[in-house]
Amino acid sequence: MMKDSLTKNGLMLGAFAVVTTALISLTFYGTKDKIEQQKQQKLLSVLNEVVPSEFHDNPLYANCTQVTATELGAKKAHKVYRATLNGKPSALVLEATAPDGYSGDIDLVVGISVNASEFLNSKNNEDVNKVTQDERKPFENKMTVLGVRVIEHKETPGLGDKIELAVSNWITTFSNRSFSNDNLAPWQVKKDGGEFDQFTGATITPRAVVGAVREALLYAQANQSALFSAPNTCQRKDNANTAEPNDIYEAHPQQVEEL
């Protein structure tokens, strides 16, 4: 009798587990595309936050390349959006992932002004086509961070979530900072000898973000020309005449591997 009861209860528990697992799986696969779409919409909504409109006259969301690089964190492809002004490269927006957050990956975007924007400003918008290569050289290795935003994270509320602009303005401390690969010491949290504040009771999260931004900047500086010359892998899903700026774009399978 007891054996039959145990068997019955075991079968019931097993059936319950199977049904529960099936429901969870259906929910996951049923909402996976929607979650990914919402994530992409959030990404596109911040492009003009990290690269202000005065730095470009092209739609950022319609010009990107896709790269796989260890410097951008995690073993997955990241998009790099390209801004142009008067037909010349002016800024980049790099997707990056900090793999060493306290609670896991931290996805972010980094907006960078490249040499062209400084060059154009220095020439007071003269016809850049008439300027010689020698005149451009002083600007070739100059980069300025225009803005950084966190797109997704799982950091602790009240501690690590201060990387969100909605929670604190800490992320804005990256804005308008010049970057040079021969002076990396400032690009750390203060606890490690750098210039960025850490959070009270939470150093791991800001350390991870600062490190990810620093690596993205190094990558952009080393691969700037290749990133701008790579094929455009952003393709509009709908008609170009009816699409709104927040429409979703897809990347072709073609990628730029380890530029």
Side-chain angles (χ1 to χ4, degrees):
M1 180 77 68
M2 184 176 292
K3 184 177 179 179
D4 291 341
S5 178
L6 289 173
T7 300
K8 182 179 180 181
N9 289 336
L11 290 172
M12 290 177 63
L13 287 172
F16 179 78
V18 170
V19 172
T20 302
T21 302
L23 289 174
I24 292 173
S25 297
L26 287 172
T27 301
F28 173 77
Y29 287 108
T31 59
K32 183 180 179 181
D33 290 342
K34 185 175 181 180
I35 291 172
E36 187 60 31
Q37 186 180 52
Q38 289 175 341
K39 181 180 176 181
Q40 185 70 1
Q41 285 178 325
K42 183 178 181 181
L43 168 64
L44 295 175
S45 72
V46 303
L47 288 178
N48 285 330
E49 291 183 32
V50 296
V51 177
S53 58
E54 61 265 28
F55 283 88
H56 67 95
D57 52 18
N58 70 309
L60 289 177
Y61 51 81
N63 188 354
C64 79
T65 186
Q66 190 163 287
V67 301
T68 302
T70 55
E71 295 93 333
L72 299 181
K75 295 180 179 180
K76 63 179 181 180
H78 291 86
K79 287 181 182 177
V80 179
Y81 296 87
R82 301 173 294 197
T84 59
L85 188 62
N86 298 330
K88 300 295 181 180
S90 60
L92 293 168
V93 181
L94 293 92
E95 292 182 353
T97 301
D100 49 355
Y102 183 77
S103 300
D105 289 350
I106 301 172
D107 292 329
L108 47 91
V109 293
V110 183
I112 305 165
S113 167
V114 298
N115 61 77
S117 61
E118 296 182 44
F119 177 76
L120 288 171
N121 290 336
S122 74
K123 288 296 176 182
N124 296 317
N125 291 322
E126 294 177 14
D127 185 354
V128 294
N129 294 317
K130 296 179 180 179
V131 182
T132 67
Q133 187 62 34
D134 287 339
E135 289 180 287
R136 292 176 180 268
K137 284 183 179 179
F139 299 89
E140 286 183 351
N141 294 318
K142 289 188 176 182
M143 297 180 68
T144 301
V145 179
L146 298 175
V148 178
R149 293 290 186 274
V150 170
I151 301 299
E152 185 175 18
H153 72 89
K154 300 179 181 68
E155 301 303 278
T156 307
L159 291 173
D161 66 345
K162 293 176 183 177
I163 56 177
E164 288 185 43
L165 184 59
V167 178
S168 83
N169 65 356
W170 178 84
I171 200 72
T172 64
T173 58
F174 289 99
S175 300
N176 301 317
R177 283 182 178 263
S178 295
F179 177 79
S180 174
N181 60 7
D182 58 4
N183 186 22
L184 299 179
W187 290 84
Q188 304 176 83
V189 293
K190 290 180 178 178
K191 190 173 183 179
D192 298 332
E195 296 182 352
F196 293 87
D197 291 332
Q198 57 267 353
F199 307 147
T200 302
T203 300
I204 293 175
T205 301
R207 179 186 285 143
V209 172
V210 174
V213 173
R214 182 183 64 244
E215 292 303 306
L217 292 170
L218 286 169
Y219 177 79
Q221 192 169 64
N223 298 283
Q224 185 182 136
S225 296
L227 288 170
F228 275 109
S229 62
N232 185 4
T233 57
C234 280
Q235 182 182 19
R236 219 172 260 221
K237 274 187 174 182
D238 51 7
N239 188 284
N241 295 322
T242 60
E244 295 296 328
N246 284 339
D247 286 339
I248 303 304
Y249 288 73
E250 289 185 325
H252 289 297
Q254 180 184 8
Q255 296 181 5
V256 180
E257 299 285 344
E258 298 288 355
L259 291 173

